[in-house]
Amino acid sequence: MTTRPIRIAPSILSADFSRLGEEIAAIDAAGADYIHVDVMDGHFVPNISFGPLVMASVRKFTTKPFDVHLMIAPVDPYIAAFAKAGADIITVHAEAGPHLHRTLQAIRAEGKKAGVAINPATPVSALENVIDDIDLLLVMSVNPGFGGQSFIPAALTKLRQAHALIGNRPIDLEVDGGITADNARAVADAGCNVFVAGSSIYGGNDPATYQPRISAIRTAASTRLA
């Protein structure tokens, strides 16, 4: 189990886009640690979300870190724009380009924390040669592109492998896809400390429900399995 602080990162992909700023302010007030921003291009993944201009327009609604997950390819031409739009952490996919090390250098050059995501079919070993160049490792527990999918159980094995690869390095281990209060304990036991949750927090888009849902995931993740 991780010794790093548990962080809950609600995904605004499940927010009500007609009042996106208010939805971000609501999860901030409800106890979110990060604001997870899923950026999709309709090319790398089969869906389109939004770009840096939209992100910049809602940056003022919170001071919490923007955890920006770029599901786009090519990714390098857009790093500076998302950095300028208010990203604090920029995560790119290992599968999105041929020069991952160069991409990570570009993120660091913008003064941002650098993350790498791996899809369900990508082995953790793909990150062995860049592990010392990242601040966050994101294991996808669904195939990226859509919210509301079910957690892939094999992700638990990958999380354990990723946790072992990280070792004592100051790197956050994040999971994204199908996270609920029901599986957060097993995920934390596998070494994860940053939990992305979309529909399990934003479902129904009633701000009154956000705080208890965030608390339920945090409490479950903080409780060691017997």
Side-chain angles (χ1 to χ4, degrees), residues 1-2 4-6 159 163 173-176 179 184 186-196 221:
M1 189 171 183
T2 183
R4 294 182 67 79
I6 296 298
L159 285 166
H163 185 59
L173 180 54
E174 184 173 56
V175 67
D176 185 355
I179 295 300
V187 170
D189 193 57
C192 178
N193 73 292
V194 182
F195 296 75
V196 178

Side-chain angles (χ1 to χ4, degrees), residues 4-11 24-37 59 62-68 88-89 113 136 172 174 193-197 201-202 210-211 213-219 221-222:
R4 294 182 67 79
I6 296 298
R7 306 292 189 201
I8 310 300
S11 170
I24 290 172
I27 54 168
D28 181 336
D33 299 294
Y34 296 160
I35 310 300
H36 192 78
V37 181
R59 175 70 268 198
T62 181
T63 59
K64 298 286 177 66
F66 266 25
D67 174 26
V68 181
D88 296 285
I89 307 163
K113 291 185 176 181
L136 180 145
D172 286 320
E174 184 173 56
N193 73 292
V194 182
F195 296 75
V196 178
I201 292 175
Y202 268 123
Y210 299 163
Q211 190 277 331
R213 290 172 176 178
I214 290 173
S215 293
I217 294 172
R218 191 187 307 279
T219 298
S222 301

Side-chain angles (χ1 to χ4, degrees), residues 2-5 34 108 113-116 127-128 130-138 162-174 191-194:
T2 183
T3 58
R4 294 182 67 79
Y34 296 160
R108 289 283 178 81
K113 291 185 176 181
V116 177
L127 303 184
E128 288 178 357
V130 296
I131 192 65
D132 290 312
D133 300 293
I134 66 175
D135 302 289
L136 180 145
L137 194 165
L138 170 55
H163 185 59
L165 177 62
I166 289 170
N168 293 324
R169 297 176 179 89
I171 297 172
D172 286 320
L173 180 54
E174 184 173 56
C192 178
N193 73 292
V194 182

Side-chain angles (χ1 to χ4, degrees), residues 37-38 49 51 58 61 86 104 119 155-156 167 225:
V37 181
D38 284 312
S49 57
V58 296
F61 286 92
L104 295 172
N119 285 331
L156 291 173
L225 290 174

